[in-house]
Amino acid sequence: MSQSNSSFGRMSFPTSLGDDELIEYLNRLEQEESQLGIQLDLHGANHRDPSAVKVEDNLHRLPRKIHNPLPGEANEGVSRDTIESLQGTGVPGNISQGTHTLSATDADGDGFQGIDILPPSSPMEVSISALARESVIRASPLHQVASNDSSQLNRLRHANANPIKPNEPKFGDYRSYFTDKHLAQQQQDKDYLEWEQQRYLGGSEVPKEFPPLFKDCVVYVNGYTKPGIAEIHRLVILYGGKFRHYLGSKGAPTHIIASRLTPRKMIEFQRYKVVRPEWITESIEKGVLQFWKQYTVINIEYGQQQIGFTRQANESLNEANPFIGEEVHEMSTNPRLSDICQSSLKDRTPAVNHEESLSGKPQEVQLVDEWRGNSRTELTLKSFNVETLHLSKEVLPEKESDTNKNILKTDGSPSLKDVAEMEPSHLQIMDDELELSPLTRPPAFQLQEDRITSEHVMDAKHPEFLKHYFANSRLHHLSTWRADLRAKFIEKVLNFSRSIPPAKTASKVILHIDFDCFFAAVSALGQPQLLRSDPVCVTHGGQTSDVASCNYAAREFGVKNGMWLKRAQVLCPNIVALDYDFPNYERVSGVLYDILLSLGARSVFPVSVDEALVDASNLVTSDPVVLMADATAKLAQTIRDRVFTETGCHVSVGAASNVLLAKLCLRRAKPAGQFVLLPDADGVEEFLSEVDVGQLPGIGSKITQKLTVMLRTDKCSLGELRRVTRERLTATFGIKTGTKLFEYARGIDATSIDIAENPEEYTRKSVSVDVNYGIRFDAIQEVDVFMARLAQEMHERLAKLHLAGHHLTLRLAQRAKDAPVTTPKFLGLGKCEFISKLSKLGVPTNEPGILSAECKALYRMIGISTVDLRGVAVTITRLVDSRGMIKDNQSKLVFDKTNTTMGKPDLHFAKNRALVVPPDRSSGKALRTDDQTQYQIPSEIDSSVLEELPSSIRRSILAATSNTNAPSIDYGIDWSVYEALPPEIKLELDGELECHGLRRLSPHTQYDSPSESDYRQVLPNISEAQPPVIHVEPPVNSALPRKRKRITRDFPVQKVRTEGLTPEMDEDVFNELPSFIREEILRDVAEARKLRSRRDVVMEANLPKLVVQSSDYISLQAPPTFQNLSCTAEIGALLTSWISDTVGQLIFPHVKDMEIFLQYFRKLLQQRKLTRCLNLYLLVKENVNALQRFGGSCEQAEQTIILEWQGCVLQLKLLLDAYCRPRGLSY
DNA sequence: CGCGGGCAGCAG
DNA sequence: CATCGCTGCTGCCCGCG
Ligand SMILES: Nc1ccn([C@H]2C[C@H](O)[C@@H](COP(=O)(O)OP(=O)(O)OP(=O)(O)O)O2)c(=O)n1
């Protein structure tokens, strides 16, 4: 890079840190600092003593803290309620509104009534502020308050009864998914302004004027710019503008800053004013907002010829309506449905403006004419087609798939797809339709819309992947609905004092009620022109897309739920694909449950969103036995009629004396029917004989297959099954499954559906987050970042449920050896092996930091190659109620060496949970508590640090300063030489050696978990105590005898090879370290832990600060500590974790943390620990660069964080250079 | 022999 | 382009103390 002055933009993302970049960076720092009024002369800084360089000041550019909840929080209760009501979660009294609306829409009959059943939009606005608070919390992950909040959270979302916790993430609140970050950013921006003002007020400088040049401007930066994104951000904010990290529809940008644009971006950005960065700088320079057109980017490289129409279009439009940007903004924050359509359309449709379209301004016509007349239409049209296809799927109430010839039309007009597929010459005719139909005919519902840039696939690398994915995953919805329903019904039962159960009659009547082809039926509601005989299915569309549900017309052709669309289309060429409509599924489900609950049955048990069991014994037993069947049939008929009237969808009802039979009857009843099988013994037997084993609950394909092999039959009916002895069945299938088969074959089933009988049995015992789609990673750093996001998601789910857990299980899907790298299903699993590993966390927790670190550590322990990873699942078990747990870190490290013969350190994390015991504020957590450090880096004390480390690392800390008594390990090190080393170097070497030595082990060795039976838990599992009373033991730490062994420095390890480490060689060792540290350090630490536990090593449990304590023993300087760590391996692990967590959660590394780290680095240099510095530098650099190389290109916010880290890298380099150059050292 | 981790299977 | 393969639970097997 020769032109060091002109490539500032590139500087923002250095992949290597050459001298040129360094100089540039210095220049830039100087620029910025002078603008900020900070005295900082960096000229020649690299020739100075590092302590004189005040580079870290640079990191104060933006204050990242978010101090207070946003205004608008006061509204939250209301807003949650309102949102709640429109979600239709099935609470009595809440649903009927939807019902009326629905019948109105039914009568409508034009196919576009979907709009009528959409929720009103205004509450959404408020929900944004609610989410903003969520993001505030998220921005300070170490100060999570959610789970500390002991206020009454109505986690079951009783819309009418209770206030809803405001920051409870609302399931199904799709639109607000993308709003939280905006608001966090806005808050940051506000903070920055305040801070900036403060500086001038407090300082001696003359207050500088910041005219609001960019008032009404909303700026977005694309790609590399000079100055960089951070600086532009700062300037825009400073001069009264707004800044966006996304091109989302919320607060849509008015200006895009870019130095150059790819052709695709050209098209994408057509409706924006795309300007060069000089627009910003020169506007500020001249004190007047410069006319943007002078800085337009569009014609820089591509010229007028090619897409000149775009520029002109933009100009004419924007000049005709200078407030267009503002309009966009306002509309976006008020997401009425039509706005949603418009904004999404705007984003995807080139060269049109829909505000204009709506108001019918003449410019629009002109614009379109211009566009059509352009000679280069072809190129554009191609892109246009692509975009439009997508658009049509999202915006139109129609479901289309590329391969599907049956484009479902809701009226006679051609769909956008039709238009898009026509020759350009036809477009002229279609123009009106093209522009207007999506606006006048909004969709039934707007699915979560990805904001991905067109060149980037939405895989797990994308920062918003999880939200996007879960918003669109049917199985996620299904699971969440079921869990919510369970919880709701348990709560219901607990709230009502248990009514005396009627004496258990010999005969029960169980109804099993289930919607027929639920998704398909509900989705088809919006398409009344469809006939019942039209085969339809619900699917995302695409060859390998799953058919979630198909109607009975389609089943005639052999189409089944779960089948790929490709196959369904082969079986049934005329099948019509419908879109998912999750909010309506929820609503319709609510109607069903209302009806069922209104029956007054003894119990209602939710099986699924579309399916429930009802114990109707009390409703029909008063009749004489003979008439019971009739009464039951009448009841079933009533239910079916009511449900159909109120929802327009059919349920079927199976009724019998137990759950098993009811289920089988239901199957017989479908579709749209009922089947009652009541105590007629012969009838039951006859009925059962015809049933297939596969229909039994809990008997799936595998068992069926095994049975058919065993019986040598094709199809195995219960009649045949009955001929098999119980013994044979239990021998083949195990005691439980065998018995079940035996009894089910005879219609025997004692399954209870009475939640009230034993609510405990139905409360959840685990919480998990699974992602087995979109998992594609190149670098381990990307995995780390993803793990951090997964942990954050897990944390949010746990916090919402007021749960914390003792155990974390990571389950990975690994591409099978023989499976192709590209899966048949796009971003799918393919053929995989699953490997899972459980970790005991030591304390019940839901802290995202711990969860994240643990996941990363477990990932390394499992040792799956990054590129073969196809799925990740995290499960938290051994749950406890987190309410009542004191949130602030009060973990105490407790040492207990009573078990020294086992050779294991007994490490107890005992939370001082005694509610009467005040938090020990004297123990040095000043940084955390007072300064709100974002990434928890306490400056002094053990416990805080330790808590945020993964237990693996936490544990290894104990060993880091102690002996590694592992005689059988061949480290290739001459330990006598080691012994001869100065103690200081020995200390420094310990951690490194450990890693280095361990590295010789096969990385794929499976390690056993350490036994942690000695872990003492203060908090009992909630499940053991009926009322959630927290049992508190007296704090054990103070009472504990200090049995910790005196630290002994003599290495007991003597049985080693003799060649090896010499004082000169340690350099070599170290030089070798970075390459593996950066890739394997976490794994090594984890392995160290495994190794220790496995080899009965006699070790000493040590506080990190013991390193310092032993400084009297060390004659030289004690090594500086970073977070009380002095082992490079651990510090490296911490840094790696820090980096991936901040990038993963899109939070800035906290200024103070960075300061502390740089301070540490400086100290290290002062002590001339060059190799360590080098290692740390390379570690950080490699981590940051890897993220930038692989993952970072898709998301501005992520880039900004990475940029911040690149700043850090450069600062480290600065410090290193300043140290090395005068000494003639090079590295 | 009982416990617990790992894993398979199942349902919607 | 695609596509959105979740999630909670039960039961079996096997190794360990
Ligand atoms: N593999 C599956 C199975 C089910 N579902 C969803 C769509 C279904 O509509 C809903 C209910 O599942 P059912 O098993 O009850 O199937 P249907 O309701 O579609 O059909 P039916 O109950 O009439 O057999 O769950 C799904 O997405 N994927």
Side-chain angles (χ1 to χ4, degrees):
Chain A
M1 201 182 291
S2 54
Q3 69 290 37
S4 58
N5 284 337
S6 62
S7 59
F8 235 40
R10 246 156 261 211
M11 255 304 295
S12 306
F13 305 92
T15 45
S16 66
L17 304 171
D19 287 349
D20 291 353
E21 286 106 326
L22 193 60
I23 290 161
E24 281 187 28
Y25 191 77
L26 291 176
N27 288 335
R28 185 168 141 193
L29 285 190
E30 191 183 9
Q31 255 187 10
E32 292 184 0
E33 297 304 341
S34 65
Q35 274 160 354
L36 290 173
I38 293 174
Q39 266 221 330
L40 177 61
D41 177 15
L42 284 171
H43 283 307
N46 44 356
H47 299 293
R48 284 199 197 146
D49 186 285
S51 59
V53 184
K54 299 190 278 179
V55 282
E56 75 273 22
D57 283 346
N58 175 47
L59 291 190
H60 289 278
R61 274 169 305 173
L62 290 173
R64 280 92 178 178
K65 278 187 289 181
I66 298 172
H67 304 277
N68 296 312
L70 294 175
E73 201 183 326
N75 298 332
E76 284 165 353
V78 177
S79 69
R80 297 308 304 187
D81 264 8
T82 325
I83 293 166
E84 197 61 39
S85 68
L86 57 87
Q87 295 292 336
T89 39
V91 176
N94 184 24
I95 296 302
S96 50
Q97 305 161 346
T99 305
H100 291 307
T101 324
L102 184 76
S103 16
T105 64
D106 261 352
D108 204 355
D110 69 347
F112 291 97
Q113 74 288 51
I115 184 69
D116 297 330
I117 52 177
L118 258 176
S121 61
S122 46
M124 287 298 201
E125 264 179 306
V126 196
S127 83
I128 292 165
S129 38
L131 272 184
R133 194 183 132 185
E134 211 187 321
S135 56
V136 169
I137 294 168
R138 196 195 296 186
S140 293
L142 307 175
H143 295 269
Q144 294 291 351
V145 292
S147 54
N148 191 29
D149 189 343
S150 55
S151 66
Q152 314 292 330
L153 171 93
N154 180 3
R155 63 172 134 147
L156 304 176
R157 298 191 271 138
H158 284 235
N160 299 330
N162 299 319
I164 304 300
K165 182 156 173 168
N167 59 344
E168 176 188 3
K170 182 63 187 87
F171 182 66
D173 192 1
Y174 310 101
R175 289 299 300 179
S176 37
Y177 271 148
F178 283 113
T179 61
D180 53 352
K181 218 172 324 178
H182 282 301
L183 286 167
Q185 187 61 61
Q186 282 166 20
Q187 185 60 32
Q188 283 194 4
D189 291 349
K190 231 171 74 188
D191 283 349
Y192 174 70
L193 273 182
E194 275 170 26
W195 176 77
E196 190 78 16
Q197 283 162 8
Q198 292 271 323
R199 295 184 59 224
Y200 284 104
L201 289 178
S204 54
E205 296 102 316
V206 183
K208 195 178 166 186
E209 268 300 311
F210 298 116
L213 293 174
F214 304 116
K215 186 173 173 290
D216 300 333
C217 295
V218 183
V219 168
Y220 168 88
V221 173
N222 176 73
Y224 307 156
T225 54
K226 166 203 165 178
I229 180 172
E231 175 65 1
I232 291 179
H233 184 166
R234 193 180 70 80
L235 292 173
V236 168
I237 298 307
L238 210 50
Y239 289 89
K242 291 174 183 146
F243 189 88
R244 294 286 174 271
H245 281 296
Y246 299 100
L247 271 179
S249 58
K250 294 259 173 296
T254 57
H255 294 76
I256 291 176
I257 313 295
S259 296
R260 52 179 295 274
L261 287 181
T262 61
R264 263 210 98 83
K265 291 274 187 193
M266 292 273 228
I267 291 157
E268 198 179 322
F269 293 165
Q270 276 175 102
R271 69 185 183 90
Y272 296 97
K273 303 168 187 172
V274 186
V275 293
R276 282 174 285 122
E278 287 81 2
W279 176 68
I280 301 264
T281 50
E282 288 177 22
S283 289
I284 291 170
E285 230 168 74
K286 297 179 182 164
V288 181
L289 186 67
Q290 297 299 294
F291 186 40
W292 72 274
K293 224 162 110 182
Q294 295 174 335
Y295 301 90
T296 185
V297 173
I298 300 292
N299 56 358
I300 289 180
E301 285 158 70
Y302 297 92
Q304 302 248 357
Q305 178 83 38
Q306 191 167 4
I307 49 171
F309 66 92
T310 300
R311 191 176 54 80
Q312 295 224 340
N314 274 331
E315 282 168 23
S316 59
L317 279 176
N318 292 328
E319 260 126 61
N321 184 357
F323 301 110
I324 187 163
E326 201 51 44
E327 271 186 24
V328 169
H329 180 71
E330 283 180 9
M331 300 191 82
S332 311
T333 54
N334 180 19
R336 282 174 288 123
L337 176 78
S338 52
D339 296 343
I340 292 168
C341 299
Q342 286 170 31
S343 56
S344 74
L345 196 68
K346 271 183 305 190
D347 284 352
R348 300 191 177 273
T349 310
V352 281
N353 180 289
H354 296 281
E355 286 85 2
E356 297 296 336
S357 309
L358 275 180
S359 52
K361 296 226 172 102
Q363 286 89 344
E364 198 236 333
V365 178
Q366 188 188 340
L367 161 74
V368 174
D369 284 340
E370 212 174 328
W371 172 69
R372 195 188 306 126
N374 189 281
S375 58
R376 296 296 299 266
T377 299
E378 268 181 45
L379 168 91
T380 315
L381 191 62
K382 200 173 161 215
S383 315
F384 176 70
N385 277 345
V386 169
E387 301 290 339
T388 309
L389 277 174
H390 200 167
L391 170 86
S392 66
K393 182 186 164 183
E394 286 178 346
V395 175
L396 287 179
E398 307 162 352
K399 176 69 212 176
E400 299 161 41
S401 74
D402 315 343
T403 51
N404 184 10
K405 289 152 236 143
N406 306 290
I407 296 163
L408 174 60
K409 290 170 196 154
T410 48
D411 62 9
S413 66
S415 73
L416 281 188
K417 185 183 175 188
D418 295 332
V419 175
E421 282 172 352
M422 288 175 187
E423 293 300 311
S425 58
H426 295 148
L427 276 170
Q428 190 161 4
I429 311 157
M430 302 306 305
D431 259 342
D432 286 349
E433 295 280 346
L434 179 68
E435 299 310 328
L436 291 176
S437 68
L439 300 176
T440 51
R441 296 172 177 86
F445 183 75
Q446 183 79 13
L447 276 185
Q448 171 68 40
E449 197 183 326
D450 49 320
R451 287 278 150 217
I452 55 172
T453 55
S454 35
E455 69 251 29
H456 216 90
V457 284
M458 182 55 121
D459 63 13
K461 288 193 271 274
H462 195 282
E464 297 294 336
F465 171 77
L466 284 182
K467 282 165 183 172
H468 167 86
Y469 174 56
F470 286 137
N472 290 288
S473 162
R474 76 187 199 279
L475 292 174
H476 169 76
H477 280 89
L478 235 38
S479 296
T480 311
W481 282 326
R482 183 169 55 181
D484 285 354
L485 281 167
R486 287 274 161 99
K488 188 193 294 192
F489 276 74
I490 289 166
E491 184 117 324
K492 206 188 295 287
V493 152
L494 292 179
N495 283 345
F496 292 112
S497 57
R498 178 108 165 74
S499 55
I500 306 106
K504 284 189 180 158
T505 50
S507 179
K508 278 189 189 178
V509 175
I510 306 292
L511 304 184
H512 195 156
I513 300 115
D514 180 303
F515 276 106
D516 296 337
C517 49
F518 183 57
F519 283 17
V522 175
S523 284
L525 283 178
Q527 318 290 347
Q529 81 289 358
L530 279 174
L531 300 175
R532 233 171 100 108
S533 55
D534 291 333
V536 303
C537 66
V538 173
T539 169
H540 282 298
Q543 296 263 309
T544 59
S545 174
D546 278 14
V547 169
S549 177
C550 59
N551 68 359
Y552 280 80
R555 287 180 206 202
E556 295 282 308
F557 294 85
V559 179
K560 288 192 167 67
N561 288 0
M563 191 177 267
W564 281 356
L565 181 59
K566 181 168 49 177
R567 190 156 141 66
Q569 283 174 324
V570 169
L571 292 168
C572 174
N574 293 320
I575 198 163
V576 174
L578 300 176
D579 267 334
Y580 288 92
D581 185 359
F582 296 120
N584 254 337
Y585 304 151
E586 207 173 324
R587 181 187 62 79
V588 171
S589 165
V591 177
L592 169 69
Y593 276 101
D594 277 351
I595 292 171
L596 296 183
L597 287 170
S598 73
L599 296 175
R602 236 158 60 83
S603 79
V604 176
F605 182 89
V607 176
S608 169
V609 68
D610 77 319
E611 192 174 342
L613 289 160
V614 175
D615 184 343
S617 309
N618 61 328
L619 300 180
V620 291
T621 41
S622 54
D623 298 310
V625 175
V626 222
L627 297 179
M628 199 161 75
D630 288 343
T632 304
K634 220 174 278 174
L635 178 64
Q637 187 70 50
T638 309
I639 294 169
R640 287 172 51 218
D641 290 346
R642 275 189 69 185
V643 173
F644 184 71
T645 313
E646 295 187 27
T647 67
C649 299
H650 287 290
V651 288
S652 298
V653 179
S657 54
N658 65 34
V659 174
L660 167 72
L661 293 175
K663 181 186 168 65
L664 297 175
C665 289
L666 170 66
R667 212 184 153 85
R668 174 72 71 92
K670 279 175 179 279
Q674 60 189 61
F675 191 86
V676 181
L677 180 72
L678 279 176
D680 174 356
D682 297 340
V684 171
E685 184 165 335
E686 197 184 313
F687 172 80
L688 281 175
S689 299
E690 305 308 311
V691 172
D692 227 38
V693 270
Q695 300 179 24
L696 298 174
I699 309 300
S701 59
K702 301 289 173 175
I703 293 177
T704 308
Q705 202 180 341
K706 233 170 149 182
L707 255 177
T708 54
V709 169
M710 182 173 142
L711 299 181
R712 298 171 210 283
T713 58
D714 280 356
K715 263 178 87 179
C716 182
S717 74
L718 293 195
E720 293 165 75
L721 181 61
R722 248 181 266 147
R723 289 200 288 272
V724 186
T725 64
R726 181 197 290 261
E727 287 68 30
R728 198 138 97 88
L729 287 174
T730 52
T732 314
F733 298 99
I735 180 73
K736 294 269 188 157
T737 310
T739 307
K740 184 155 83 176
L741 280 169
F742 183 82
E743 292 183 343
Y744 278 8
R746 289 153 182 81
I748 302 165
D749 176 32
T751 308
S752 161
I753 59 162
D754 191 357
I755 294 174
E757 214 166 70
N758 188 8
E760 172 67 20
E761 186 186 335
Y762 299 100
T763 53
R764 73 155 76 216
K765 284 153 199 71
S766 66
V767 177
S768 43
V769 181
D770 297 28
V771 182
N772 292 307
Y773 179 84
I775 301 293
R776 295 293 187 278
F777 298 114
D778 302 305
I780 189 144
Q781 287 84 0
E782 293 170 354
V783 179
D784 284 349
V785 167
F786 181 73
M787 291 294 181
R789 293 185 178 130
L790 209 58
Q792 179 64 29
E793 172 72 25
M794 175 58 85
H795 162 76
E796 282 163 20
R797 293 190 192 181
L798 286 171
K800 197 169 118 188
L801 296 162
H802 297 295
L803 291 172
H806 286 83
H807 292 179
L808 184 151
T809 304
L810 187 72
R811 191 183 84 135
L812 302 180
Q814 179 183 32
R815 178 180 66 86
K817 273 262 166 347
D818 54 344
V821 175
T822 32
T823 52
K825 186 200 270 291
F826 175 61
L827 295 179
L829 266 177
K831 190 179 161 200
C832 278
E833 279 173 38
F834 291 88
I835 306 115
S836 70
K837 187 121 194 71
L838 176 144
S839 168
K840 297 177 176 176
L841 298 166
V843 285
T845 190
N846 59 21
E847 295 275 337
I850 300 178
L851 301 175
S852 155
E854 201 63 34
C855 290
K856 294 172 201 167
L858 284 173
Y859 171 71
R860 284 165 173 79
M861 282 173 60
I862 293 173
I864 285 180
S865 154
T866 313
V867 290
D868 289 335
L869 194 62
R870 290 287 179 271
V872 183
V874 190
T875 303
I876 300 293
T877 45
R878 291 214 35 208
L879 301 173
V880 296
D881 194 312
S882 62
R883 283 167 291 194
M885 281 170 63
I886 294 175
K887 276 301 290 180
D888 199 358
N889 293 323
Q890 304 204 21
S891 307
K892 298 288 179 195
L893 257 185
V894 180
F895 294 94
D896 185 350
K897 285 295 281 181
T898 53
N899 201 7
T900 45
T901 50
M902 293 309 302
K904 286 184 200 127
D906 298 322
L907 171 54
H908 298 266
F909 283 90
K911 288 226 173 200
N912 265 343
R913 289 199 192 78
L915 300 175
V916 286
V917 178
D920 183 2
R921 297 282 170 192
S922 63
S923 63
K925 291 180 284 275
L927 231 178
R928 290 182 53 102
T929 51
D930 300 335
D931 291 336
Q932 312 225 338
T933 304
Q934 282 187 355
Y935 193 83
Q936 40 188 334
I937 296 190
S939 55
E940 308 166 39
I941 202 66
D942 45 7
S943 57
S944 314
V945 177
L946 284 157
E947 186 172 349
E948 81 196 55
L949 290 169
S951 61
S952 46
I953 294 175
R954 242 184 282 145
R955 277 168 233 142
S956 74
I957 288 168
L958 301 179
T961 53
S962 67
N963 305 338
T964 306
N965 186 356
S968 59
I969 302 174
D970 180 359
Y971 285 102
I973 290 168
D974 184 338
W975 290 107
S976 57
V977 174
Y978 177 95
E979 281 307 292
L981 290 171
E984 179 215 357
I985 296 182
K986 268 205 281 189
L987 259 185
E988 189 173 340
L989 273 176
D990 282 348
E992 322 277 6
L993 279 177
E994 200 172 284
C995 298
H996 195 58
L998 286 170
R999 199 177 162 231
R1000 289 159 176 270
L1001 293 174
S1002 158
H1004 291 278
T1005 310
Q1006 292 287 318
Y1007 294 96
D1008 309 316
S1009 286
S1011 161
E1012 309 196 13
S1013 53
D1014 295 321
Y1015 278 49
R1016 186 177 305 162
Q1017 276 315 312
V1018 177
L1019 200 68
N1021 192 318
I1022 185 79
S1023 55
E1024 286 155 21
Q1026 186 54 283
V1029 174
I1030 307 295
H1031 173 244
V1032 182
E1033 281 182 16
V1036 285
N1037 53 310
S1038 54
L1040 205 88
R1042 283 182 77 83
K1043 287 190 177 177
R1044 174 168 19 94
K1045 252 196 202 166
R1046 177 74 186 94
I1047 185 167
T1048 53
R1049 271 286 143 202
D1050 48 323
F1051 247 80
V1053 183
Q1054 298 296 337
K1055 183 183 165 190
V1056 287
R1057 280 206 265 144
T1058 46
E1059 86 265 16
L1061 196 66
T1062 64
E1064 298 81 52
M1065 190 189 157
D1066 71 45
E1067 279 288 322
D1068 298 339
V1069 171
F1070 283 137
N1071 287 339
E1072 203 182 323
L1073 277 173
S1075 64
F1076 85 86
I1077 281 185
R1078 65 169 178 257
E1079 305 216 0
E1080 300 183 5
I1081 191 158
L1082 285 175
R1083 184 218 304 269
D1084 289 344
V1085 171
E1087 285 181 359
R1089 143 186 159 189
K1090 294 299 141 195
L1091 193 77
R1092 268 177 230 117
S1093 67
R1094 166 186 272 204
R1095 291 182 187 274
D1096 284 356
V1097 176
V1098 177
M1099 336 191 308
E1100 276 130 53
N1102 260 325
L1103 278 173
K1105 64 178 161 197
L1106 275 186
V1107 176
V1108 182
Q1109 278 175 8
S1110 56
S1111 62
D1112 53 347
Y1113 155 73
I1114 297 169
S1115 52
L1116 303 173
Q1117 275 174 300
T1121 59
F1122 176 56
Q1123 302 311 295
N1124 288 315
L1125 304 178
S1126 60
C1127 164
T1128 304
E1130 288 155 8
I1131 290 170
L1134 180 62
L1135 288 171
T1136 303
S1137 192
W1138 186 19
I1139 293 167
S1140 56
D1141 280 353
T1142 50
V1143 175
Q1145 294 173 26
L1146 297 179
I1147 53 173
F1148 280 101
H1150 197 280
V1151 181
K1152 296 240 175 192
D1153 294 346
M1154 192 58 79
E1155 214 174 279
I1156 290 168
F1157 172 58
L1158 291 172
Q1159 191 74 35
Y1160 164 77
F1161 194 81
R1162 231 172 282 124
K1163 243 188 208 161
L1164 214 52
L1165 265 181
Q1166 278 163 20
Q1167 295 189 13
R1168 306 179 182 204
K1169 303 207 187 311
L1170 190 56
T1171 45
R1172 301 192 62 156
C1173 288
L1174 204 48
N1175 289 334
L1176 286 178
Y1177 163 69
L1178 292 171
L1179 171 94
V1180 174
K1181 179 180 156 188
E1182 185 49 35
N1183 269 298
V1184 173
N1185 284 350
L1187 284 175
Q1188 214 259 306
R1189 267 200 310 275
F1190 293 111
S1193 60
C1194 58
E1195 184 62 68
Q1196 289 249 336
E1198 191 173 281
Q1199 280 297 344
T1200 311
I1201 309 292
I1202 293 172
L1203 175 66
E1204 194 70 21
W1205 280 108
Q1206 280 169 335
C1208 170
V1209 169
L1210 280 163
Q1211 302 221 14
L1212 295 180
K1213 183 180 168 57
L1214 264 177
L1215 291 168
L1216 271 176
D1217 281 351
Y1219 180 88
C1220 292
R1221 293 206 178 167
R1223 292 169 176 78
L1225 301 170
S1226 60
Y1227 56 91

